[in-house]
Amino acid sequence: MVEMIGTLGKLSNWLCGRDVRYAVCCLPKSLGLHCPQAHDTTQNAPPESIRGCDSEARSVTGGEDNSMQDRGEDAAQLSNPDRERARAAKAWASYKEFIANPGHKCANCWLLSKHCGCAEVEKLQVKMRPHVVVVFHYSELGRHLGSNTAKLLLRFGGELLCWGLESHEERLRQLLVSDPEGCAVLFPSADAVCAHKLASSPRAKDAVPRCILVLDGGWRECKRINDSIDPEILRCIVTTASRQEYGGTRKYAGGSDGGNRVQTAAAFVALMQELGEDSAHVEALKAGLANFMGCWESQIQRSKTW
């Protein structure tokens, strides 16, 4: 008992001004309150005599994926503009290096060269009335995976912008400022307007966008891109796109419609159709996407490198 009281006294002194989560972890096992997931640290460590379970250390804030700690670190990183810019610059440099030296892949479709279908796409001579700007999240460009479909829009004349790069974001701002009423963002926000309603509007000629921003990345990344764009810019959605018609290279989980979610290129093709664009151009876009899907299927039958 004397020994226990002495130990508790040392612990109390050491805990003054420190994280209370160490309290239970550092109690002697004889008290029955020993924590098997104590935090091992060399900074501000308790005195050797009361370190207790440091040899078995794991953070008590951890768990299966250290979710609380990781989310805190992610939030700190995302709130740091300089770190975000550095990541974007690194991803952009990786993408540019890939374009210059694609190795065994095609620099345009990002598939393995032996499964490339770019020659067939060029024969389609796709033309698009609106100015199409594909705003990639930097992480999507940095990975340049073959399963990405948004890069097909670049083959159809789309302009590439990397979100997170200061010069590219400035270019985006210029586009929006130059024609705010003629721009539209393809994104399913709460206030998004159905594309077919724009086409059927009494003032359809003025309502149909002249510049379309297509966001690409994971859902969380696209949401961040959308949140960074002036909320006064029109958001629009499509209602006719289906995975059964356009296929897909990635599977989506969660939600009642997760199995029917379409990817970026499919959503864009559906947008062109719902806006009433030239049917020949829409069919050419569909053919280009179908060609890519065929090449993709050919690749994954022989390789797991997406």
Side-chain angles (χ1 to χ4, degrees), residues 252-261:
Y252 299 103
S256 58
D257 64 342
N260 196 41
R261 285 174 57 189

Side-chain angles (χ1 to χ4, degrees), residues 44 61 81 100 116 122 146 152 195-196 214 231 238 288:
N44 292 330
T61 62
C116 171
E122 290 181 359
L152 294 177
H196 67 84
V214 181
V238 295

Side-chain angles (χ1 to χ4, degrees), residues 50 53 55 61 75 100-101 106 110 136 169 175 178 199 232 261 300:
I50 62 172
C53 58
S55 59
T61 62
N101 301 288
C106 170
W110 307 355
F136 288 86
E169 291 186 351
L175 287 170
S178 64
E232 294 299 318
R261 285 174 57 189
I300 64 174

